Amino acid sequence: MIDYFFSGNQYIQVSRGDTAPGTIAPGFPAPITNWGWGDFGLNGIDAALFTGSKCFFFKDAVYIRVTRGVLDTGTVDEGFPRPISDWGWGSFGARGIDAAMWSGDVLFFFKGNEYIKVRGADDTHFGTIDPGYPAPIKNWLWGFFGASGINAALYSGSKNYFFSGNQYLQTSRGMEGAGLLDKGFPKALSDWGWGSFGASGIDAALNSDGPLVPPPSGGFRGNSNYFMHANEAELNGVGITIHVDTQLASSKHGWSFQLNCWSVRGSLFSTQWQQYVIYSAGADDSNVNVSIDSWFDDLSEQDQVINTHNRLGSMSHIAITAGYIFQIFPHFDDQSRIVACRFIMTDEKGKTRGDKTINIIGQPHAKKKGKATIADCAPIAFMSVDIGGEYNGQLANFNTGAGTVTYTANQSLVASPSFPPEPTDFDAGTAESGNIIFGQLPQTANTTISQLFQVPLIPPKPAVGLAVDKARMPAKRFARPPLPAQLGDEEL
């Protein structure tokens, strides 16, 4: 990702990941006049905000809106600068703000020892302040850090950064809550390796991901998320990591984290759809299971290839505690076929609660007599992460929860709200769903992409059918076999 940091009348451009300090681009620091804002911000700015194809910059009681991509400085929109009062915040920030941050469905603005949360804003709409705001900055649970205010805030995929004076914090959080303060913070700003730039602090930080991919046509929900692909090429080196940053609690039908995968149309391989799932043993059970399910090109049980389940381990509580990490890593052979999958569960203290690798070859074949062979393994070209009920099309009812999904692959991934034209012979998605929403992703391609998810504080509007296509029918994972006790100790 590309980030910009501003200090006085200078700025730097940094290429970095979610957590690494990154590398300053050649030719920086550079004068802020390079942005072509005229007299606005000539000696520095107070805050910067990314919303997609637009960026906002704030100085004292005025702001500008800029249309730009990832690397270009862009063009100031006609009619700007404008007064901050346009945003409709009342007395909050009337004379200026200290920091701003994009956070998926909501925006945060900071001034002194208070902040506001704004919902429904986008490139051209101001949104509305949530009830109960302004609120004290101490709600973020940072201790003494930033008690009187912060200088800058930065969305950074699976992490957020907050800057105050010559120190900074790193947090893990979803869209709306405070999340978790990572261990060892605050730290010295000098860790970023910027030399004399910003040695005493920075004024503003800007995540610069560029335009966002539109949501699926019916909106985000548990079984309606983006499809990740590499321009329809076969994928390998795929993995997902799910960080739970706010306790995820389900009061009905448990929960499941699903990696759903599709092959390309016309594939010579018989298996067309594959599911790799970590799921609860029930809403009132702390045991956690894993499954591998795959199908030919039909939704019936008769066309199921693999339906195997195993126990992964147990959690310390029935609800998923903040700080838990779940990982799914398919194993690929030299023809990019998935031949096995590793499932890992780590608790909030860093202890491994479960680590299972299940081989596909040798599993009981769900249709034919005998065992699965290499002929039942297939490559994938599309994948989607879904969060829902534990099994059989169940809808989970989550009371709380937030976090991030991080996708990785050897190829650069892009997000699509729907399949490209006729990409696959298996025209279906998962039926398990829940009251979860996902965050938008940028159009830029990357080998590592992080996405926010959240149990919405304000319920989303109900959607009919799968959002990707009204013609697509959801598929259930058919009833699982009993799990013998010994499966907790042996690999299949």
Side-chain angles (χ1 to χ4, degrees), residues 252-430:
K252 186 177 182 181
H253 295 151
W255 53 267
S256 65
F257 299 124
Q258 302 185 13
L259 172 61
N260 292 300
C261 306
W262 292 260
S263 298
V264 295
R265 180 177 291 278
S267 170
L268 298 178
F269 299 94
S270 58
T271 298
Q272 295 295 323
W273 188 37
Q274 306 173 52
Q275 289 186 305
Y276 301 91
V277 185
I278 300 177
Y279 67 98
S280 65
D284 57 352
D285 197 325
S286 63
N287 288 312
V288 177
N289 305 324
V290 296
S291 70
I292 298 178
D293 295 277
S294 60
W295 278 264
F296 290 111
D297 58 357
D298 189 273
L299 296 180
S300 67
E301 290 186 62
Q302 288 72 30
D303 267 355
Q304 195 165 21
V305 182
I306 301 295
N307 181 21
T308 187
H309 303 258
N310 204 346
R311 201 173 307 282
L312 180 60
S314 62
M315 301 186 298
S316 52
H317 302 87
I318 294 174
I320 304 175
T321 303
Y324 262 69
I325 300 172
F326 299 86
Q327 296 172 290
I328 301 176
F329 295 115
H331 293 183
F332 296 80
D333 68 4
D334 57 5
Q335 294 187 43
S336 297
R337 295 173 293 194
I338 298 178
V339 295
C341 190
R342 184 183 181 189
F343 304 87
I344 307 171
M345 175 173 61
T346 307
D347 69 16
E348 78 279 11
K349 297 178 180 178
K351 177 183 177 181
T352 301
R353 289 273 179 170
D355 189 338
K356 285 286 186 190
T357 298
I358 300 177
N359 294 315
I360 293 175
I361 298 172
Q363 295 299 325
H365 200 291
K367 182 179 179 182
K368 305 173 184 177
K369 293 182 179 180
K371 305 289 186 179
T373 69
I374 190 64
D376 300 304
C377 301
I380 61 171
F382 308 90
M383 63 177 177
S384 183
V385 168
D386 301 291
I387 302 175
E390 58 162 345
Y391 217 80
N392 261 0
Q394 292 170 330
L395 303 179
N397 183 31
F398 295 107
N399 299 322
T400 61
T404 57
V405 179
T406 299
Y407 307 80
T408 57
N410 290 343
Q411 299 83 4
S412 290
L413 297 170
V414 293
S416 294
S418 61
F419 274 131
E422 298 187 349
T424 175
D425 290 315
F426 196 94
D427 195 23
T430 189

Side-chain angles (χ1 to χ4, degrees), residues 1 76 107 117 124 134 150 207 252 258 299 363 423 466 489:
M1 68 177 66
V76 177
L107 306 175
K117 179 168 64 176
T124 57
I150 61 172
N207 169 250
K252 186 177 182 181
Q258 302 185 13
L299 296 180
Q363 295 299 325
L466 277 181
D489 304 312

Side-chain angles (χ1 to χ4, degrees), residues 126-303:
F126 298 122
T128 56
I129 299 178
D130 270 12
Y133 292 88
I137 208 168
K138 65 181 182 181
N139 288 1
W140 291 78
L141 305 177
W142 295 335
F144 292 111
F145 178 90
S148 300
I150 61 172
N151 303 125
L154 178 71
Y155 166 79
S156 186
S158 61
K159 303 292 180 181
N160 289 164
Y161 291 89
F162 301 90
F163 302 83
S164 181
N166 60 0
Q167 291 187 313
Y168 75 102
L169 293 181
Q170 176 182 295
T171 66
S172 302
R173 53 179 300 277
M175 293 183 192
E176 302 197 33
L180 298 171
L181 176 61
D182 288 358
K183 292 181 180 179
F185 290 89
K187 290 184 177 181
L189 191 57
S190 57
D191 288 352
W192 290 74
W194 295 337
S196 60
F197 176 87
S200 300
I202 61 170
D203 301 324
L206 177 71
N207 169 250
S208 185
D209 277 340
L212 298 171
V213 179
S217 60
F220 289 112
R221 63 182 184 281
N223 66 350
S224 176
N225 196 3
Y226 290 129
F227 294 96
M228 310 299 292
H229 61 97
N231 296 317
E232 304 185 33
E234 290 180 353
L235 300 174
N236 52 59
V238 164
I240 63 165
T241 298
I242 296 174
H243 292 262
V244 176
D245 301 323
T246 300
Q247 177 179 277
L248 187 65
S250 172
S251 62
K252 186 177 182 181
H253 295 151
W255 53 267
S256 65
F257 299 124
Q258 302 185 13
L259 172 61
N260 292 300
C261 306
W262 292 260
S263 298
V264 295
R265 180 177 291 278
S267 170
L268 298 178
F269 299 94
S270 58
T271 298
Q272 295 295 323
W273 188 37
Q274 306 173 52
Q275 289 186 305
Y276 301 91
V277 185
I278 300 177
Y279 67 98
S280 65
D284 57 352
D285 197 325
S286 63
N287 288 312
V288 177
N289 305 324
V290 296
S291 70
I292 298 178
D293 295 277
S294 60
W295 278 264
F296 290 111
D297 58 357
D298 189 273
L299 296 180
S300 67
E301 290 186 62
Q302 288 72 30
D303 267 355

